[in-house]
Amino acid sequence: YRSWMAAAASGGAELGAETVRGPGNHGFTAGLLRLLGVSSLSFWADCVASLSLALVLGLAWNKASRALPFAEQWSGWIALGVITHPLAWHHSYVLAYPLCAFALSRARERAHVALALAGTACIGLVIPQTLGSDFVRPLELASMKSWGVCLNALALVLARRRESREA
């Protein structure tokens, strides 16, 4: 337990600054702290940023997703956990794919389909293996995968609102 707590509280000391704040960390928490130039050794900055982002984005998702069925709401909450986690590595985003699937299945208008496809592409296709490191690295540093989650959430909510107006 002590070793685990020491490693968890060490931030970049245990994992390395590149792992904690580098392009491999696609979450909004890391993106915000990169933007502010906060050291990766500052464990408490990660905690405060992560919880603050989760609170703000959680309130927004709670309000925006009220009209969605339970499964679609829940997929958004899972995806929210990924984008606000202090260590949101590329493999974490597999948890956002249900949100992508719901957004794509609900979208009927071209704009909603385009948002959902763009968001899904940000998560799954904008990677060094497909587009090259030189192109992708700046996008990764801008938390591209997290923005892709947001695009899918937006597409899902807008498509549901359109359906409600038509009904």
Side-chain angles (χ1 to χ4, degrees):
Y1 174 78
R2 286 186 194 143
S3 296
W4 184 85
M5 288 303 292
S10 73
E14 197 69 30
L15 295 172
E18 183 68 15
T19 300
V20 174
R21 294 279 191 273
N25 189 342
H26 305 280
F28 281 145
T29 299
L32 175 65
L33 295 175
R34 277 192 296 263
L35 183 68
L36 297 175
V38 176
S39 167
S40 65
L41 297 176
S42 177
F43 166 74
W44 291 108
D46 288 276
C47 291
V48 169
S50 179
L51 292 173
S52 298
L53 286 167
L55 177 67
V56 170
L57 295 174
L59 289 171
W61 179 248
N62 186 52
K63 181 175 174 142
S65 69
R66 286 186 181 151
L68 297 174
F70 176 78
E72 293 175 1
Q73 283 182 8
W74 188 243
S75 71
W77 286 112
I78 293 170
L80 176 80
V82 174
I83 66 176
T84 61
H85 193 279
L87 294 174
W89 294 316
H90 69 278
H91 59 273
S92 306
Y93 284 82
V94 71
L95 296 173
Y97 284 122
L99 179 68
C100 299
F102 283 128
L104 285 166
S105 71
R106 188 174 287 278
R108 300 288 178 261
E109 287 186 12
R110 285 184 182 184
H112 301 155
V113 172
L115 276 175
L117 285 174
T120 303
C122 288
I123 296 168
L125 295 177
V126 180
I127 58 174
Q129 292 83 351
T130 59
L131 301 176
S133 226
D134 292 338
F135 178 74
V136 173
R137 186 174 175 94
L139 299 174
E140 288 178 330
L141 288 169
S143 303
M144 179 59 71
K145 289 187 184 325
S146 291
W147 287 111
V149 170
C150 292
L151 290 175
N152 274 288
L154 180 62
L156 181 60
V157 169
L158 291 175
R160 174 63 180 146
R161 286 190 180 157
R162 180 171 169 25
E163 287 175 5
S164 295
R165 282 193 309 264
E166 290 175 352

